[in-house]
Amino acid sequence: MLPAYLSNPFAAVFGGGKPIDWGKTYKDGRRILGDGKTYRGLFSGIFCGFIAGCIEIWLSSRGFEVMGIKMPAFGPDYKSSLIIVLALASGALFGDMFKSFFKRRMGLKRGASLPLVDQLDFVVGAWVFTYLVAPEWFVSNFTHGIMLTVIIITPLLHLATNIIGYFIGVKKEPW
């Protein structure tokens, strides 16, 4: 999950510039996504998540362990691994954009809290993209136990990183 976990905060850190929706509104008169979703944020977030995944691939290929647990392989070969890493990183940001689209439809402004949805949108996006590009790998690596662990741990990690982002000035709200 590291490529997905890192793409989101790095999109916020390096974001800014032209919004993905170009400032346009949907038929309901509300912005499509809002100013918080920018091309620079999207591409830098995907890039940072992808680089993190490449480092994981490299470490895994060398038998690296964390607390006695081997790093997972992202696929049967380097090409498959790179595709899976890219799916995790990009899926996370597209999941976040998908959520933003629906928050705007609900009349919620940028930064408005939507508990659990705000913390798990990128996880769902990463899982959907990864399942679409590598269903066998996804099913064998994201067991029910792993998925449950991710669903429980992610809101806590998300809150912690958002608080840090708030204190260093890259987020306007600590959630």
Side-chain angles (χ1 to χ4, degrees):
M1 286 301 297
L2 196 59
Y5 281 150
L6 292 180
S7 62
N8 227 15
F10 278 107
V13 169
F14 295 116
K18 191 71 173 168
I20 292 171
D21 67 7
W22 294 83
K24 296 186 185 292
T25 58
Y26 194 62
K27 59 186 173 187
D28 60 7
R30 297 184 184 112
R31 286 285 298 277
I32 296 169
L33 297 173
D35 289 333
K37 306 299 175 219
T38 65
Y39 286 105
R40 189 169 60 206
L42 175 67
F43 293 123
S44 62
I46 290 171
F47 177 77
C48 290
F50 182 75
I51 293 300
C54 289
I55 293 168
E56 279 189 283
I57 291 167
W58 181 78
L59 291 171
S60 175
S61 72
R62 280 147 183 76
F64 186 77
E65 295 182 4
V66 176
M67 297 185 297
I69 301 170
K70 291 183 81 166
M71 300 284 290
F74 282 103
D77 54 55
Y78 281 117
K79 180 182 175 189
S80 299
S81 296
L82 294 173
I83 290 169
I84 289 167
V85 163
L86 185 60
L88 285 165
S90 58
L93 293 181
F94 280 94
D96 186 62
M97 278 194 290
F98 188 74
K99 178 238 12 210
S100 291
F101 175 80
F102 283 101
K103 280 177 78 171
R104 300 302 90 78
R105 305 297 65 79
M106 295 168 61
L108 298 173
K109 302 268 186 227
R110 177 182 176 192
S113 180
L114 191 57
L116 288 181
V117 176
D118 285 329
Q119 291 78 32
L120 296 172
D121 57 342
F122 73 97
V123 170
V124 173
W127 284 348
V128 168
F129 273 40
T130 304
Y131 182 81
L132 290 173
V133 301
E136 297 85 16
W137 182 88
F138 181 88
V139 170
S140 67
N141 283 277
F142 284 103
T143 63
H144 294 299
I146 297 285
M147 291 176 88
L148 183 61
T149 301
V150 168
I151 289 169
I152 291 169
I153 289 174
T154 299
L156 301 173
L157 291 172
H158 195 267
L159 181 61
T161 58
N162 282 348
I163 290 170
I164 291 166
Y166 175 75
F167 282 114
I168 65 172
V170 297
K171 290 199 56 80
K172 291 182 180 170
E173 300 82 15
W175 54 77

